[in-house]
Amino acid sequence: MSGSTITPWVVGNWKMNPMQANAQQLIIDLKQQLKAGDILAGTCRIGVAPVSIALLTTKAQLEDATVEVMTVAQDVSRVAGTGAYTGEVSAELLKDSQIDYVLIGHSERREIFADTASVVAEKVKNALSAGLHIIYCVGESLEQREAGQAEQVVLQQICDISVVVNAEQWSNITVAYEPIWAIGTGKTASPEDAQSMHAKIRQGLTQITPFGANTAILYGGSVKAENAVELAACPDINGALVGGASLNAESFYQIAHAFAQSK
Ligand code: 13P
């Protein structure tokens, strides 16, 4: 037990997976796990982030889950409102569809889709104005870690959005530390390394917002049922953002269970 008062979050980022029939089955299986399991309401906030075309069906399918499961968007447009922006989905459109949570700044968006620091900041600004809760992803590359720059890179990513987020709005932000070298590689950061970075992030947050002490800071990068208990025992690891292992209902459930039990 860490003694933390922060309710942990465990969110499955399904990325560009799975096909519709498999996604529906995954939700059936997850609901079954939650029904048969012993995660108590209020001990862990659970969410899943499907592809955008599945947000509404996922949300509808999760309505009767015995433990609440939030539906989370994987990204949002940097353009606000409505208008002639082919292919985009704005924060207001998400909110209008009762999708209240969104991932912003995932390293795959930053690296593959050119979400620069200023694009990410625009997305954050618009999402907060529309009343969404953000899971803001940060993390360093292997090269940056080996060059001793990990902390500086991650704290800079926090600073990048602090210019568009006022002190109160931080209560609508959850941070996810996802070292890029640990994503999809099977190489998890050691609990010590992850805890150390989380503590630095918390220190940075407390300097910019009174909510810093209570901001949930999730770890992401090869989280599995097998390493979740150890990670969950770290005082500043307040949950997990799970990729691959969230595509299996049992593994995902076990990760959520580990965090629900730990705090
Ligand atoms: P993996 O759990 O597959 O490493 O993915 C982590 C991630 O990127 C979650 O957003």
Side-chain angles (χ1 to χ4, degrees), residues 10-261:
V10 172
V11 176
N13 176 7
W14 292 355
K15 307 192 179 185
M16 203 167 74
N17 299 292
M19 291 297 175
Q20 219 179 121
N22 292 337
Q24 283 165 14
Q25 188 59 49
L26 180 53
I27 299 167
I28 291 170
D29 294 346
L30 177 59
K31 287 197 293 189
Q32 185 50 41
Q33 289 283 331
L34 291 169
K35 194 172 173 190
D38 61 355
I39 295 180
L40 299 175
T43 57
C44 184
R45 304 188 67 175
I46 301 172
V48 293
V51 293
S52 61
I53 45 169
L55 281 166
L56 295 184
T57 48
T58 300
K59 187 176 169 61
Q61 220 190 322
L62 284 167
E63 295 279 285
D64 64 351
T66 49
V67 177
E68 187 187 352
V69 181
M70 307 172 279
T71 305
V72 180
Q74 293 180 13
D75 190 32
V76 66
S77 177
R78 70 179 175 86
V79 182
T82 54
Y85 301 100
T86 304
E88 292 294 286
V89 178
S90 69
E92 285 78 3
L93 288 171
L94 289 175
K95 189 71 187 172
D96 184 52
S97 292
Q98 283 91 50
I99 302 298
D100 295 329
Y101 303 90
V102 63
L103 302 180
I104 297 181
H106 194 282
S107 60
E108 286 151 18
R109 300 287 330 163
R110 293 181 192 262
E111 292 204 319
I112 309 170
F113 300 100
D115 277 11
T116 59
S118 66
V119 167
V120 167
E122 280 182 274
K123 290 182 175 188
V124 166
K125 185 166 180 268
N126 293 337
L128 289 173
S129 314
L132 299 180
H133 186 105
I134 295 168
I135 299 173
Y136 178 59
C137 305
V138 297
E140 81 287 357
S141 67
L142 184 59
E143 204 181 20
Q144 290 164 333
R145 174 156 283 260
E146 285 175 345
Q149 296 166 346
E151 188 184 320
Q152 182 196 329
V153 167
V154 166
L155 294 179
Q156 182 58 48
Q157 288 167 336
I158 300 283
C159 277
D160 291 342
I161 64 162
S162 69
V163 288
V164 296
V165 181
N166 66 41
E168 282 70 41
Q169 286 175 319
W170 279 98
S171 63
N172 287 320
I173 299 183
T174 293
V175 173
Y177 168 58
E178 299 203 302
I180 298 170
W181 48 270
I183 295 178
T185 57
K187 281 188 213 152
T188 323
S190 67
E192 295 72 27
D193 283 349
Q195 164 57 29
S196 158
M197 183 63 87
H198 282 229
K200 303 264 166 48
I201 294 171
R202 176 146 342 269
Q203 200 179 25
L205 288 173
T206 52
Q207 283 164 13
I208 51 179
T209 167
F211 296 101
N214 293 315
T215 301
I217 306 174
L218 321 185
Y219 169 78
S222 298
V223 178
K224 307 180 212 50
E226 295 75 20
N227 55 28
V229 173
E230 258 193 324
L231 289 164
C234 300
D236 288 299
I237 300 185
N238 314 115
L241 184 54
V242 187
S246 70
L247 296 171
N248 177 287
E250 196 183 339
S251 321
F252 184 61
Y253 173 82
Q254 283 171 10
I255 295 166
H257 189 266
F259 279 92
Q261 296 281 312

